[in-house]
Amino acid sequence: MSKNHNTTSHSLAASAEAAKTQYINKSDNIQNASIVISQEEDRKCDHFPLSSDDSNSNSFDGEDLHYSRYYKCSIIIISFLVSLVSFGIGNSWGVLQDYFDENVFGEKGRQIPNAGLQLSFVGTLNVCLEHSMAPLSEVIRSTRGAKTVLFLGGLLIFSGLTAASFAKEIWHLYLSQSILCGIGASFLYSTIQTVVPHYFPQNPGFVLGGIASGACIGSLIIPLIATTINNNLGIQWTYRILGCVNLIINLLACMIIKDHPYNTNIRFEEKSSKSTLIRLDVFKNKKYCIWCLSSFTQIAAFYVPLFIIPSYATYIGLSDSRGASLVSIISAAAFVGRISCGFIADRLGSVNISIIYTTISALSCLVIWPISFTYPPLIGFAIVFGLTSGTYYSLAAPITASILKTEQYSSGVTITLLLVGISIFGPSVASAIDSAGVSNEPFFTYKMFTGTSTLVSAVILIWLKFCMKRSILAKV
């Protein structure tokens, strides 16, 4: 009897132990399944691919839903204003150069030989540094964060404009307007390009197009403001007033714009792993190399009409005011073009729209400009060129993000900006070719250089498209 009782007790204990083990295993399975489901939901919520291919992992990081709509709108507005004042001054150098050439260093001033030529390099160097100092900006942002770079950028522009107001020699302008303002604008622009798109993963083209259009508005407004102040208070106060306006707007940008959490995580990972701040492994990506080549050739041609149109207008017998108005028309058309191409690109694909716009821009230079010997056809050329020529500034970030891995994005944008900064000297190359006597017709070389370079960029973009997807109608 006792033996049977012991056997029954052992049997009950074994059954209880087996049931307990089975319960624990089921709990572990349920917990593991919950973790997998949670991770999958987080992945779906936090990942919005830019292309139509769901398998493509190259995109901006997911949108954080806890950021309010008002905060995101404030990012767009302040970035637009930064683009307006920072790049508007650089793009308006022609008005300031004309004042210096006529009243300070030219006939009514100190009569320095070749003053106009020396002053022209102030604007060229400024635009070059606006793009090419992006690597330094990325190094500082990777170690100190976006706010530090924005603060330094605003401080450099304010210091440069204030120092330019005391300029007595042309080389003073090289140090102040060219170097200080150029580096400051580069810090601001590259930071906006690398940080802001992460807040808008579903429509980065439209957002960046709107921000980039601020430079076009600045090119329209600031020359009028500068001319008025020059005539009433002198160019010294023009620089000081513009410097104060820049300081206020850039300080607001420093307060509002902050690193996206993904940027912050990448920055801490890079610091902990002691990895390189500029990832050169992006050049192992064939598609990225193709994109850099397209950007280089496109921007090499972009500034030629902006610099040459006033002189060409004078050559065909138009007044100076009409020549200046053509530049304003290009800027006004570019305002519409940059927003529209970004809006359409978010729906049809950034590479697709860039191909279409760049091809139309090339045809305008090869077909419309060569037959424009009066004011009306020149207006038509200015409108078409302005609408279609600035796709790089709207779509560079989305295209780079669709090509590279997310952790490579910042380095990719930085390196592209550096290469574009070198291509800014495209007008100088066109001028050298023209001086070599390639054509007997004045300005014909500029027309062909601009059209051919832009067309080559379009062909390279087509190459990029088929490297990404073989289908002609694919959204890329």
Side-chain angles (χ1 to χ4, degrees):
M1 183 76 177
S2 176
K3 184 176 181 180
N4 293 336
H5 178 73
N6 291 336
T7 302
T8 303
S9 299
H10 286 298
S11 177
L12 291 174
S15 299
E17 186 67 25
K20 180 179 179 181
T21 303
Q22 185 177 8
Y23 174 78
I24 292 173
N25 290 335
K26 286 184 177 179
S27 299
D28 291 339
N29 291 335
I30 292 173
Q31 184 177 7
N32 291 334
S34 299
I35 293 173
V36 171
I37 292 172
S38 177
Q39 290 176 344
E40 180 66 18
E41 289 178 349
D42 290 341
R43 186 190 69 80
K44 290 180 179 179
C45 291
D46 290 340
H47 184 72
F48 295 90
L50 290 177
S51 67
S52 59
D53 184 4
D54 293 337
S55 64
N56 184 9
S57 62
N58 302 329
S59 66
F60 292 117
D61 194 61
E63 182 177 19
D64 287 337
L65 300 179
H66 64 273
Y67 289 109
S68 68
R69 182 178 301 176
Y70 300 104
Y71 175 69
K72 293 176 182 177
C73 288
S74 66
I75 290 178
I76 296 175
I77 293 172
I78 196 62
S79 299
F80 174 86
L81 292 176
V82 168
S83 179
L84 188 152
V85 296
S86 300
F87 289 93
I89 291 177
N91 295 341
S92 304
W93 167 245
V95 174
L96 302 175
Q97 176 184 339
D98 183 64
Y99 186 92
F100 276 120
D101 191 19
E102 183 177 352
N103 299 286
V104 180
F105 303 113
E107 295 180 357
K108 298 181 181 179
R110 298 173 55 189
Q111 298 182 355
I112 297 178
N114 298 320
L117 178 62
Q118 296 181 56
L119 288 169
S120 66
F121 283 103
V122 174
T124 302
L125 181 59
N126 175 271
V127 176
C128 178
L129 291 175
E130 285 177 354
H131 295 79
S132 60
M133 295 307 295
L136 177 59
S137 169
E138 176 62 14
V139 169
I140 299 174
R141 190 195 66 79
S142 298
T143 55
R144 298 297 180 181
K147 287 186 177 293
T148 301
V149 184
L150 292 172
F151 176 77
L152 289 175
L155 184 62
L156 285 171
I157 293 179
F158 173 73
S159 301
L161 294 175
T162 302
S165 69
F166 297 99
K168 302 297 183 183
E169 303 287 346
I170 295 179
W171 65 269
H172 294 170
L173 294 173
Y174 282 107
L175 295 177
S176 56
Q177 172 116 24
S178 296
I179 297 178
L180 290 180
C181 291
I183 296 175
S186 180
F187 280 13
L188 295 168
Y189 178 68
S190 60
T191 302
I192 289 173
Q193 287 284 311
T194 54
V195 173
V196 171
H198 288 287
Y199 289 97
F200 306 93
Q202 291 178 311
N203 51 357
F206 178 63
V207 171
L208 290 175
I211 292 173
S213 66
C216 305
I217 298 299
S219 301
L220 292 172
I221 296 176
I222 292 180
L224 301 177
I225 297 174
T227 300
T228 303
I229 301 176
N230 286 345
N231 295 334
N232 291 278
L233 300 176
I235 198 168
Q236 293 80 8
W237 280 103
T238 299
Y239 275 116
R240 292 163 191 165
I241 292 173
L242 291 176
C244 291
V245 172
N246 263 277
L247 181 63
I248 294 171
I249 292 176
N250 292 330
L251 286 178
L252 288 174
C254 183
M255 295 169 60
I256 294 173
I257 300 175
K258 57 185 178 182
D259 270 313
H260 188 276
Y262 183 80
N263 294 99
T264 305
N265 293 337
I266 289 293
R267 179 156 55 90
F268 286 132
E269 289 174 6
E270 290 176 342
K271 290 174 69 176
S272 61
S273 64
K274 297 181 181 180
S275 60
T276 56
L277 299 179
I278 304 296
R279 300 176 62 110
L280 298 180
D281 59 340
V282 295
F283 288 112
K284 295 180 181 180
N285 189 320
K286 174 185 174 182
K287 292 176 287 188
Y288 176 73
C289 295
I290 296 172
W291 164 239
C292 287
L293 184 59
S294 174
S295 302
F296 185 90
T297 54
Q298 182 182 155
I299 300 302
F302 174 73
Y303 285 95
V304 175
L306 294 175
F307 292 170
I308 298 301
I309 278 290
S311 300
Y312 179 73
T314 303
Y315 163 72
I316 63 175
L318 300 179
S319 63
D320 294 340
S321 60
R322 286 197 167 184
S325 69
L326 291 170
V327 178
S328 299
I329 292 172
I330 292 176
S331 299
F335 169 76
V336 179
R338 293 183 184 183
I339 296 177
S340 65
C341 78
F343 179 80
I344 301 172
D346 290 332
R347 287 148 181 80
L348 301 181
S350 298
V351 177
N352 293 336
I353 297 305
S354 188
I355 291 172
I356 295 172
Y357 273 58
T358 305
T359 302
I360 296 174
S361 177
L363 293 176
S364 71
C365 297
L366 294 173
V367 178
I368 302 177
W369 194 6
I371 62 173
S372 300
F373 295 102
T374 57
Y375 190 56
L378 266 181
I379 292 178
F381 165 72
I383 293 174
V384 176
F385 181 81
L387 283 171
T388 58
S389 61
T391 56
Y392 167 82
Y393 292 102
S394 297
L395 304 180
I399 292 177
T400 303
S402 66
I403 294 172
L404 299 175
K405 296 178 181 179
T406 312
E407 60 269 19
Q408 295 176 315
Y409 167 74
S410 297
S411 295
V413 170
T414 298
I415 295 172
T416 306
L417 285 172
L418 174 62
L419 296 175
V420 166
I422 299 173
S423 71
I424 296 297
F425 290 96
S428 300
V429 175
S431 178
I433 297 174
D434 183 69
S435 301
V438 175
S439 174
N440 294 326
E441 179 184 336
F443 295 95
F444 183 78
T445 303
Y446 294 101
K447 301 172 185 178
M448 293 299 103
F449 176 87
T450 306
T452 303
S453 296
T454 308
L455 187 61
V456 169
S457 177
V459 172
I460 297 173
L461 284 170
I462 295 174
W463 180 21
L464 174 61
K465 173 182 171 64
F466 283 103
C467 285
M468 297 175 72
K469 286 188 179 180
R470 295 291 182 180
S471 175
I472 297 177
L473 300 179
K475 178 183 176 182
V476 180

